[in-house]
Amino acid sequence: KKDVYWLQDSLTDGKARTESFNDRENMLGLDVTDYYELDGMMDDYSLFFKLWDTVIRFKEGTERWETVPICSVDAIETEGLLDTWFRATLQMIKTFDSQYTRDPQKVAKMHRDAIDDFRKKFPFLRSFSQASILHTHWDELFERMKCKQPADYAKITCRQMLELGVLDFQEDFEELSAAAYKEDSLKKQLAQMKLDWIPIMFETKEYKETKCKMLQGIDDVQTVLDDHIVKTQGIRASPFCKPFEAEVHEWEAKLLY
C-alpha cells in the first residue's frame, strides 16, 4: 500500500515541478522543455494505480464494514461503492487483456471474485443496518437462529453474525427487516398526525347575546379529523402496528371521543 501511493504522489509531485519549470522557462523566454518521459510514465502507471487503489480501498472497506457495529454502516453508500468498484474492475480486466499484462489482469480477476464473494454477505448488512431495526427484531432473529446474541445490540458486528451462520437464515432476516421498515413507516405516520394538530387554531365567537362561545370555521378542522380517523384505523388494522398498538388505540380514542 505504502509503495503504491508513494509512487503516485511522487509522479504527481514531479508533474507539478515540471509545470513550474516550464512556467519559468516561458517567463525567461527560454525553449520549453518537453518532459515526455514523465508524461509517459504517468500514463503507464495510471492503469496500475487504479487497479491497486481499488483493491486497497475494497480491502479496507470490507474490514471496516465487517468489524464496526452494524448499525453504523451506511448500506446505501456501501452498495454504491461495491457497484462502482465492480464495474471498474470489469473494465480493467478488458484493459489488461494483453500478453504483456497478464499478471495485473489476474489480480483484477481475483479482485472481481472477491467483490462477488462479499456481495453474498451484503443482504444481511443491508437488512439489519437500517435505523428501523429495533431490539425486538434482533431478539426474534436470535430466537429463529437458536443462538445467543454475541454482544450488546449497539455493538453487534457483521462478522460476529457471519460467524454465527446468519446467511443460512436469509429468508428470516429479510422478513424481519421488511417488517421493521413497515413498522417504522406506520410510526412516522402516527407521529406526523400528532404534529399536524399543533398549528390548528380553534377559534370561537360569541353566539348572539348569550355570552356563550361557539366554534367557528370548523370545516377545515373536521376535514383533518376525518382524515386522521381513517388513517388511524388503517394503522390499527395493520399487523405491523402490534409493537405500538396501545399508542394507536390511545390516539384513536382521542380522535373519536
Side-chain angles (χ1 to χ4, degrees):
K1 173 184 174 178
K2 182 178 179 181
D3 292 340
V4 170
Y5 292 107
W6 173 83
L7 182 53
Q8 177 66 16
D9 291 342
S10 297
L11 290 171
T12 302
D13 180 61
K15 180 64 175 177
R17 290 168 62 190
T18 59
E19 289 175 349
S20 177
F21 295 156
N22 287 159
D23 289 341
R24 297 178 198 177
E25 288 170 338
N26 277 319
M27 290 173 61
L28 296 172
L30 301 175
D31 292 336
V32 177
T33 305
D34 184 2
Y35 296 95
Y36 65 90
E37 291 181 339
L38 176 61
D39 293 337
M41 289 174 61
M42 294 188 71
D43 288 342
D44 290 341
Y45 185 62
S46 64
L47 295 175
F48 297 96
F49 175 74
K50 183 178 180 181
L51 171 61
W52 286 112
D53 177 57
T54 304
V55 171
I56 291 168
R57 290 171 62 197
F58 171 72
K59 291 290 185 183
E60 293 178 342
T62 52
E63 178 66 21
R64 183 174 66 257
W65 297 326
E66 288 189 12
T67 56
V68 301
I70 193 170
C71 59
S72 67
V73 177
D74 186 332
I76 296 177
E77 179 184 8
T78 300
E79 189 169 23
L81 284 172
L82 289 173
D83 289 343
T84 299
W85 292 337
F86 189 77
R87 289 195 300 270
T89 303
L90 291 180
Q91 184 59 47
M92 283 186 278
I93 291 173
K94 294 180 181 179
T95 301
F96 288 123
D97 190 17
S98 165
Q99 60 178 330
Y100 304 107
T101 54
R102 292 303 181 197
D103 286 341
Q105 186 187 51
K106 183 179 179 181
V107 172
K109 288 181 178 179
M110 292 171 62
H111 182 48
R112 174 201 59 194
D113 295 342
I115 295 176
D116 261 342
D117 287 341
F118 186 79
R119 277 177 158 179
K120 296 173 184 176
K121 309 171 185 176
F122 190 74
F124 174 70
L125 190 65
R126 177 176 52 219
S127 296
F128 264 64
S129 64
Q130 58 177 309
S132 57
I133 294 293
L134 304 177
H135 296 176
T136 53
H137 303 116
W138 280 110
D139 290 339
E140 177 64 24
L141 179 60
F142 290 131
E143 184 177 339
R144 296 188 187 189
M145 293 175 65
K146 293 181 172 53
C147 67
K148 296 180 179 179
Q149 66 183 78
D152 292 338
Y153 299 106
K155 295 181 180 179
I156 296 174
T157 67
C158 184
R159 182 166 295 173
Q160 289 172 328
M161 295 303 297
L162 292 172
E163 290 172 352
L164 291 173
V166 73
L167 295 183
D168 294 331
F169 298 86
Q170 182 166 346
E171 185 176 338
D172 294 291
F173 66 67
E174 287 184 343
E175 175 191 331
L176 290 170
S177 177
Y181 178 82
K182 292 174 182 176
E183 288 170 17
D184 186 60
S185 177
L186 294 177
K187 284 182 181 178
K188 288 178 178 176
Q189 288 183 45
L190 184 61
Q192 185 58 52
M193 282 192 285
K194 294 179 179 180
L195 291 175
D196 288 344
W197 285 98
I198 293 177
I200 294 178
M201 302 294 292
F202 290 88
E203 298 180 356
T204 62
K205 67 175 181 179
E206 191 172 298
Y207 179 67
K208 296 183 179 180
E209 298 177 357
T210 62
K211 294 185 180 180
C212 294
K213 300 292 185 180
M214 293 185 60
L215 284 174
Q216 65 174 355
I218 64 170
D219 289 345
D220 291 341
V221 175
Q222 188 65 49
T223 299
V224 174
L225 179 61
D226 292 342
D227 179 56
H228 283 193
I229 289 174
V230 172
K231 287 181 177 178
T232 303
Q233 290 174 341
I235 293 174
R236 178 170 52 79
S238 171
F240 300 104
C241 88
K242 287 193 181 233
F244 56 103
E245 193 171 19
E247 183 182 359
V248 175
H249 282 299
E250 181 183 354
W251 177 246
E252 183 179 22
K254 285 183 179 180
L255 295 176
L256 292 174
Y257 307 111

